[in-house]
Amino acid sequence: SAKTATASNQAATAAQKLATEEQRTATAASNAAAAQTRADLAPWRETGTGALYQLADLYGVPRSDGAGGMTAGSDFTGTPGYQFRFGEGLRGVNNSASAAGLIDSGSRLRALTDYGQGQAANEWGDYRGTIQSLAGVGQTAVGQQVAADQSSANSLANLYSQQGANAASTQIGQANAITGGLNNALIGYAYLNR
């Protein structure tokens, strides 16, 4: 009957609206989770980016904006660790030379030079390794962000696909309800006019 067709049509429309709202809610939740993940990983990405630039600077690799190129060398000699160890080592060489009565000797100057060069070489390797580790932290954070973004994109694609399937199902349900109503009307008309 026409009432049955109308009721079926209304039920299909209501189901479609409910499914659409649920998918909007799920989409919003997925987008919010992706934004939170991006915000949570931002400090790690930014630290890694800064370290990567600093590493490029150590090797004299200019940046695309023209900045950089061996600017990190002065950063290296200014680190508290380098300054402390270098100062303590020089003091040790001077104290040793003074105790031996060689404070103004060439051997003291040679010992200072050897110590300074050796200390700088050792510290340089440690400094570079630390920066490489920080750049790796950033690279890991970027990889995690890409994985989270891909997961979010897959979830959204599934939601949109489901939304399309629900819309199609609603249309089919409405068409079936109308067809069923028309068939019932035709059967009733034929029955009455026999």
Side-chain angles (χ1 to χ4, degrees):
S1 76
K3 287 183 181 182
T4 303
T6 300
S8 294
N9 188 20
Q10 289 172 344
T13 300
Q16 172 62 32
K17 285 180 183 177
L18 179 61
T20 299
E21 278 307 308
E22 292 298 323
Q23 287 164 342
R24 283 187 186 135
T25 301
T27 298
S30 180
N31 287 337
Q36 184 62 51
T37 300
R38 181 166 289 283
D40 290 346
L41 290 173
W44 303 99
R45 278 192 326 269
E46 292 163 8
T47 297
T49 298
L52 184 61
Y53 285 149
Q54 195 171 12
L55 191 61
D57 292 348
L58 285 175
Y59 290 102
V61 177
R63 299 181 199 164
S64 59
D65 63 1
M70 290 309 286
T71 60
S74 61
D75 293 342
F76 157 67
T77 58
T79 61
Y82 177 84
Q83 289 294 317
F84 175 76
R85 284 186 283 280
F86 188 74
E88 289 298 301
L90 291 181
R91 190 164 36 135
V93 170
N94 284 331
N95 289 345
S96 178
S98 180
L102 301 171
I103 196 70
D104 291 325
S105 70
S107 64
R108 176 184 156 268
L109 295 176
R110 170 77 183 202
L112 288 172
T113 300
D114 289 347
Y115 175 78
Q117 289 175 347
Q119 185 63 26
N122 289 338
E123 287 291 321
W124 180 258
D126 292 345
Y127 181 70
R128 188 186 66 232
T130 299
I131 294 172
Q132 286 173 326
S133 293
L134 289 173
V137 165
Q139 183 179 15
T140 299
V142 167
Q144 290 172 340
Q145 184 63 58
V146 167
D149 287 348
Q150 186 62 51
S151 176
S152 179
N154 289 342
S155 293
L156 290 173
N158 287 337
L159 285 171
Y160 294 141
S161 176
Q162 185 61 44
Q163 188 174 14
N166 288 345
S169 177
T170 298
Q171 293 297 318
I172 291 169
Q174 289 171 336
N176 286 341
I178 291 169
T179 302
L182 289 174
N183 281 340
N184 287 342
L186 289 173
I187 290 171
Y189 179 77
Y191 179 75
L192 291 174
N193 290 316
R194 23 175 204 147

